[in-house]
Amino acid sequence: MEDLLIIGAGPGGYETAVEAAKRGMKVTIINDGTLGGVCLNEGCIPTKTFCHFAGKEDFAAVAARKEAVVNQLRNGVAYLLKNPNITIVGGKASFKDDKTVVVNGEVYTAKDIIIATGSKPAILLIPGADSEIVLTSTDVLNLKELPESICVIGGGVIGLEMASYLHRFGVEVTVLEYAPQVLPNFDAEVSKRLKMLLTKQGIKIETDAQVTAIDEEGFVTYKKKDQEYNVECDKVLMAVGRTPNTSDLNLEAAGIAYNRKGIEVDDNMQTSVPRIYAIGDVNGKMMLAHVATFQGTRALNHIQGKNDKIKFNLIPAAVFTIPEVASVGLTEAQCDDEELDYKSVKVPFGAVGKAVAMGEPDGFCKLIIDNETRIMLGCHIMGAHASDLIQEVVTMMNLGVTIDDAKDIIHAHPTLNEIIQIVVHQAE
């Protein structure tokens, strides 16, 4: 019997396996498909390759580059898993009971089990959703040639990132978002400004738009304020979120509780069966690769009786549009809902010398500060390299740095990071 059985080799699965092996545990990792999971093969990495090079190289060149990048990183994962304490089994896992998993007719058991099977694209249940013109995010990343026009259903992270880079390749893009704002879970001011800038670039965006049908001839029908409209397009991207991969696991046989949002877990990622854990997209808590990795660490620590200081309420999120968006902590709306005594301070990128010199002055940095404790409750950035800049604030928030402490931190000049220094000094 192995110490640990992990189902799934995405970021949560393979990084947890590597860490467990370092701690001297014997690990079997079961994977159906290629190593690296959704993030590496059909999510984060290929998308960001397209986001970075769109408009700089032609589509065929970027598509080839994407394949090279994915292959290189996939080989890197295989190298990390070459450990005498790790055994890789290819195939689809299914629970026989709460102690046994069956793969290719073979039975596997372990002292503890971690489920890390990830997610798949969600599909809106409307007429025409199964039409040949409808693509998932995976399909779009594997296109050999681009359509002249596309209608993106969903203005969340996936929808906006793909809309942004497809537009830079010359595709005519229309985005339809059901909620009142794009990026519904982000700061409202960030969402409003991003919509304005993407529209200025030439992307058509409609919010409060309920898609009701897709016609195979290339018409997407939606309702807005009791009026019905149509969008004509060559292809449709279904970007309405992702759904956990639970259907083939036979969770009922193990007595594992789950619902449509994913496998139910506690703060230690433990399921309703004490020896079985679920991490990453499959538990539906927050579908981000870096979250899966740290949830794996939390599960592993719980198995070994160790404590950690991981703060799952301080998770940075980034959107790789142009300009980028990044966020951590509470939004103003959430502060209002919790009736917190706070203030927000905002500085435009136009106040940063390097941003102006780079020709990228669009955007701003907003800090939300608790009036009594002076700690930072949240940070929301829209602008050049926002995904990198947010990490400084994430670190300060993790350490409980007050706004007054932060004023004594020296930043190099000229750098984009100075926007953090400027906004901190603007706070009274």
Side-chain angles (χ1 to χ4, degrees), residues 75-95:
N75 290 336
V77 173
Y79 177 79
L80 288 174
L81 293 174
K82 285 183 178 179
N83 186 303
N85 284 344
I86 299 175
T87 301
I88 302 174
V89 176
K92 197 179 294 290
S94 177
F95 281 93

Side-chain angles (χ1 to χ4, degrees), residues 304-320:
Q304 296 190 321
K306 296 181 178 181
N307 294 320
D308 60 56
K309 297 181 180 179
I310 300 171
K311 293 181 171 66
F312 285 107
N313 63 323
L314 295 178
I315 297 171
V319 188
F320 292 84

